Amino acid sequence: MSVNNIPMLRTEKRAALEDTVARWKAAGQRVAFVPTMGALHEGHLSLVRLAKQHAERVVVSIFVNPAQFAPHEDFGSYPRTLEADLTKLQHAGVDLAYTPLADEIYPKGQDSDIKAGEAAKGLESDFRPHFFDGVVNVVARLFEQVKPDIAIFGEKDYQQLKVVEELVQTLGLPIEIIGAPIARDAHGLALSSRNAYLSAEELAIARKLNVILRKESPTPSSRPTAGGGEILRSLDYARDDIKEALLEAGFDKVDYVEERWGRKLAAAWLGKTRLIDNIEI
Ligand code: AMP
């Protein structure tokens, strides 16, 4: 396992990354990879800890991927805290921080034949249609460069985890994908780099998202059913109840509340900030 007092390596260069990983692999060491967009918090560090349990070497990338932001989204204002991030990674015992510039990832531009698969349908894609193609574009390139044995993705972005699992299967990559549990604050709010956008008032509302998602919905029998599809109808009610509760709690807009993969997943807006969360059903 990695040792905390060994200085962490850091490179912006693909060639240096590949040389280092090749050396480790030649020495029989397994390599785990944690891709991030920086603005690191305890959620990212929990992924690093999990990575360290599965491999002798841990690589973390920090790259704010332009391909997964639409022009109207927050690419320009996304929090960038590189020096603080590197200190956190060093303390967490990461072996190598890969901090490429866009040219290193997209030397010939962002065009890609690799598209997101079935798991990308619906949910996030209904509201961010460009998003998962942008994610698989960067993840496939990073996998090609890092060539990890294992890669860790957070369950916070549950649909993304499923999209990446499908990508690895479709491409036949020899990479084990491991999902990491959602790291939350003391109020149950899923940690997110975008939480930095929230005002104190918005933060108080944001903390209600997980509480409302966890609430039991009224049983179907306590609701009138206007014929047809009892089960579907009860799901509709559950979704509508949650949406209503979120709006009452102060959220400005609810993109979706859906059930999939044995999870209840939601996305909602507070001012200019979009929050997502999910819980096991
Ligand atoms: P990001 O920097 O937002 O692209 O996230 C990088 C990785 O960290 C992704 O796999 C996320 O799912 C994961 N992640 C972000 N926040 C959390 C959290 N609160 N709990 C668990 N994983 C997280």
Side-chain angles (χ1 to χ4, degrees), residues 155 158 184 213-214 261-264 278-281:
E155 290 180 348
Y158 205 84
R184 297 178 180 279
L213 262 185
R214 275 178 230 280
W261 302 299
R263 302 235 154 200
K264 219 184 281 178
N278 68 86
I279 54 146
E280 224 175 327
I281 300 171

Side-chain angles (χ1 to χ4, degrees), residues 208-218 223 233-259 263-268 277-281:
K208 296 180 184 166
L209 173 56
N210 77 97
V211 178
I212 292 170
L213 262 185
R214 275 178 230 280
K215 267 200 189 131
E216 289 293 318
S217 305
R223 294 287 202 156
R233 195 154 290 280
S234 75
L235 285 183
D236 283 344
Y237 277 131
R239 279 198 289 263
D240 290 347
D241 289 336
I242 291 170
K243 280 183 188 171
E244 214 173 286
L246 289 171
L247 294 172
E248 261 169 36
F251 282 89
D252 295 303
K253 183 168 168 281
V254 179
D255 276 355
Y256 62 81
V257 176
E258 296 281 347
E259 290 181 12
R263 302 235 154 200
K264 219 184 281 178
L265 308 102
D277 198 353
N278 68 86
I279 54 146
E280 224 175 327
I281 300 171

Side-chain angles (χ1 to χ4, degrees), residues 78-255:
Y78 195 83
R80 287 165 173 84
T81 57
L82 186 58
E83 288 312 313
D85 290 351
L86 292 172
T87 303
K88 287 177 187 168
L89 295 180
Q90 160 77 42
H91 288 152
V94 166
D95 296 281
L96 173 60
Y98 182 42
T99 56
L101 302 179
D103 279 356
E104 210 68 353
I105 302 293
Y106 299 113
K108 295 178 188 151
Q110 293 176 22
D111 285 351
S112 171
D113 292 337
I114 300 173
K115 300 290 174 207
E118 286 296 305
K121 298 220 167 113
L123 300 170
E124 287 295 298
S125 292
D126 287 344
F127 300 89
R128 306 182 72 196
H130 58 284
F131 177 65
F132 286 121
D133 283 340
V135 168
V136 297
N137 192 351
V138 78
V139 168
R141 288 164 191 260
L142 287 168
F143 281 176
E144 169 66 23
Q145 298 189 6
V146 180
K147 294 194 177 61
D149 300 291
I150 295 155
I152 316 276
F153 287 81
E155 290 180 348
K156 151 126 189 309
D157 303 274
Y158 205 84
Q159 192 178 12
Q160 171 173 278
L161 169 63
K162 292 289 155 189
V163 166
V164 171
E165 283 174 355
E166 189 181 355
L167 174 74
V168 164
Q169 251 193 343
T170 309
L171 298 181
L173 300 176
I175 302 172
E176 181 187 354
I177 304 298
I178 297 178
I182 302 175
R184 297 178 180 279
D185 76 2
H187 303 265
L189 172 65
L191 300 179
S192 164
S193 306
R194 289 190 169 100
N195 291 352
Y197 300 151
L198 299 171
S199 67
E201 196 185 318
E202 287 171 337
L203 180 62
I205 299 168
R207 285 175 164 153
K208 296 180 184 166
L209 173 56
N210 77 97
V211 178
I212 292 170
L213 262 185
R214 275 178 230 280
K215 267 200 189 131
E216 289 293 318
S217 305
T219 57
S221 57
S222 70
R223 294 287 202 156
T225 45
E230 179 95 9
I231 292 171
L232 261 186
R233 195 154 290 280
S234 75
L235 285 183
D236 283 344
Y237 277 131
R239 279 198 289 263
D240 290 347
D241 289 336
I242 291 170
K243 280 183 188 171
E244 214 173 286
L246 289 171
L247 294 172
E248 261 169 36
F251 282 89
D252 295 303
K253 183 168 168 281
V254 179
D255 276 355

